[in-house]
Structure formats: C-alpha cells, structure tokens
Amino acid sequence: MQILSVRGGAPLRGSIPVSGAKNSVLPILAACAVCRGVSVLHNCPDISDVGDTLEILRCLGCRAEKRGGALIVDARTLCGWQVPAQYAGRLRSSVLFLGALLAHMGRARIALPGGCPLGKRPIDLHILALQALGAQVAVGQHFAECRAETLHGGRIRLPFASVGATENAILAALGCEGTTVIENAAREPEIGDLIRFLRAAGAQIGECGGEITIQGGAPLHGTTYTVMPDRIETATYLCAAAACGGDVTLRMTDGRTLLPVLDVLRASGCEITQSGDTLRLCGDGSLRAPGAIETAPYPGFPTDAQAIVMAALLRERGRTEFTETIFENRFRHIAELRKFGAAVTFSGRRAQLDGVAALHGANVRAEDLRGGAALVIAALCADGESRIAGVKHILRGYDTLAGKLQILGGDIKYVEIPEEMLYNTL
C-alpha cells in the first residue's frame, strides 16, 4: 500500500515548473476522437486520469501513445462507440465521449462516469444539450446511450453554466448540420483552451461572453497543440508556500487565470509578483484571515481551490467563512484536517475556520483529489510527521507532486507499507 510520508515545519524555497492543465487535456483528448487525423499534444501532465483517457481512446480503435512529453492520438482508425465501464468508472470526464462519439459516429454509449465523490453530479444538463441537437438519449441505472441519424444545429440554453455540459455541447455540435448557439455557457479558461485546439483542427467556433457559436459540419483534421498551464496546480504550490512561509517561484504558468485566489493570498499577507509566465510568492507563514470566501463559476473563486486555500489558512489569525456553491459534498477534507488540530466546522454548504497557533502531525486519508492536496499542505506546515493514505486520488491530478515539493525543500516522499499497518494507524 502506497502512502505519502511528510515531515512538516520547514519553509519552502526555490523554483519549479507548472504542468499542463488536467482540466484542459482531458476534454482535448476527447476532442481528438472527432478529428480525422493525427493530433500531437504538448505540455501534457503525467497523471493517471490522462492514462485512463488514453486507454479509452485505444478501446475505441484509436492509436494513442505517450512519447516523451507529448501525447499522440491517431483517430483515423476510430471504429468503436462504447466506452468500457472499467475506464468510464474511474474519471468524470469520460462523459465527454458522449458528445465526441455522437459527432463522429452518430452513436455513443458510456458507463456512468466516476471521479471524485463530491456529491450528486447528474448528467441532466449534458442530456438536455444533446437532445437539443436532435439526439435520442436513454439513461439506465449504470449507463447512458445516445444516437442520432442526423444532428442539427440549434440553440441550447443551459440553466447553469456547467463546464462539462458546455464541453459536451461543443463536441456534439461539431457533427451538426448548421449552426449551434450555446447560451449561458461556462467560461472557465480550460473551455477556451478546448476551443483553441478545435480551431487549430479546423473548427469554426466563436465566443462572446457566455455565448458560444459553433458552425457544424466542418471537416476536422489532426493538429499540434500545446496545453495551457494548470491553474489549480499553480494555486496548490502557492498555497503550500503561503502556509509554510518562504520564497517560491512558479514557472510556465499564468496568474491571470487565478485572480480570485491571488487576491485571497494577498489579503492574507503574502507578497505575490508576476513577470511574464512566472509567479513568485514570498511570505513568513504568518497569515491573517482574508475575509469570506464563496466558490462560483469562472471568473469567481474556483471550487477546485476551496480545500487547498482552507488548508493554507489553518494557522491564520482570525476567522474565515467558506461557502461552497458548486458541489454539495466538497467538505470531506474537513474531518481529516481536524486530525492535525485544525479548528474547522461546517454545516451544509458553509464552513467556519478559526485559526490555531500550531498544527501537529497526523495520519489521514485523502477522499478526493483536491482534498488530498489540502492534506499535503496541512502536513507540510504541521510539526512532526504525517502519513497520508488514499494517494490514488492525488495521482489522478498532480504530476510529480512529491518531487516538486522536494525541490522546494519539502520533506515528503512516497512510502510502501503493509496494508494492515495502514488500517492500524489511521
């Protein structure tokens, strides 16, 4: 059984690069299935979600491989329309193959997707979007299937600016006759990255605020594309530096996609400067409460950063209140943070954090990706040694997390222990 062993208490200093965005590369890989050619993707993170998505593409008949730091997908041999349950069940983004395969094959079937256990994450908005384009959709207890002899352009009004539903609608619209307009579309930077990839492959897509227009029927070819930097990975290392104190520079990133998080860290007392594609954070680890934090769709405070910012503020002076508006079950990390001595309570979608003077090492378990990163941050600024189980969640979304933190001076490493020892200590 693999765990993370962390000995905290040291400041972080140094410079590391930021990997490509998990939430960009996964929809872009699904989009490769719509292209009639070879696509080469650069700056792709080496994470398990990417590996699982490559397996899905192979199961569909594509040639997909990792070569150095690039991913190469040849969709000319794509012939399948069903995503196997053993892969769909591992990651939420597998649902995007509904739109991609519908556009390419006129038919798609997937096992209902997995991912992190963040509460109810229904695919009704995805279904609404596909039906608006003429697809017939059937949803069973464990699967979703859609088919259409002909897809036609239409106007889709999303009742909520869902990232996944927006991406699925874009992909399906590529196979439509005529023009599709998506109203109240999500505006996350990763959606912009997907659109830029598709334009490079020959798609005709326009954006104006929360409205996206897709001209269907354009033949898509393979292309070469570089994935944007991961803004949540950027936030994670900034929060680790804020919590521990020190002087950390992040290269190959873009602070413009992360302004609400930068505002919170500055309000807590950190000095943050940006020059070109680098961000530098300096601080002494003594943070003040930055005020209330409420998650919201982009350009608001990202839900993916809620847990990691909470971990950074555990030793703040004062009180911070968090309101989670996106997912109903995104406070699973709080029970584990308390094991470090944190003073955090929650009820429903609201949490209250009262800063404590010090944290101590603890044995904890990650239950989801961002909650796992939060536990790492708490362990880095706690006194003594901590053990973090459930590292499979962290590996889903962070490329070389322990290695990068080691470069910054963090005492963190992966350790193999007998499974019975794990359950005796947690």
Side-chain angles (χ1 to χ4, degrees), residues 209-243:
E211 188 170 284
I212 298 174
T213 303
I214 304 102
Q215 302 294 334
L220 301 187
H221 50 76
T223 188
T224 298
Y225 189 76
T226 300
V227 175
M228 66 175 280
D230 195 313
R231 62 192 174 110
I232 306 303
E233 180 180 318
T234 299
T236 300
Y237 294 120
L238 291 177
C239 286

Side-chain angles (χ1 to χ4, degrees), residues 40 53 68-69 74 137 151 176 182 186 188 238 261 290 292 351 383-384 412:
V40 180
T53 306
D74 184 350
V137 183
L151 290 170
C176 288
I182 307 170
E188 271 67 9
L238 291 177
V261 174
D383 297 324
I412 177 172

Side-chain angles (χ1 to χ4, degrees), residues 307-322:
I308 57 181
V309 169
M310 182 182 292
L313 297 174
L314 293 178
R315 298 185 299 163
E316 69 179 7
R317 301 186 305 279
R319 171 180 293 176
T320 299
E321 294 186 352
F322 291 81

Side-chain angles (χ1 to χ4, degrees), residues 8 90 132 228 251:
R90 294 179 189 172
M228 66 175 280
R251 309 187 308 274

Side-chain angles (χ1 to χ4, degrees), residues 81 98-99 102 106-109 130 135-138 144-148:
W81 53 273
L98 278 179
L102 188 63
R107 187 175 184 184
R109 180 186 172 101
L130 299 179
Q136 299 175 334
V137 183
E145 183 172 342
C146 56
R147 64 178 68 197

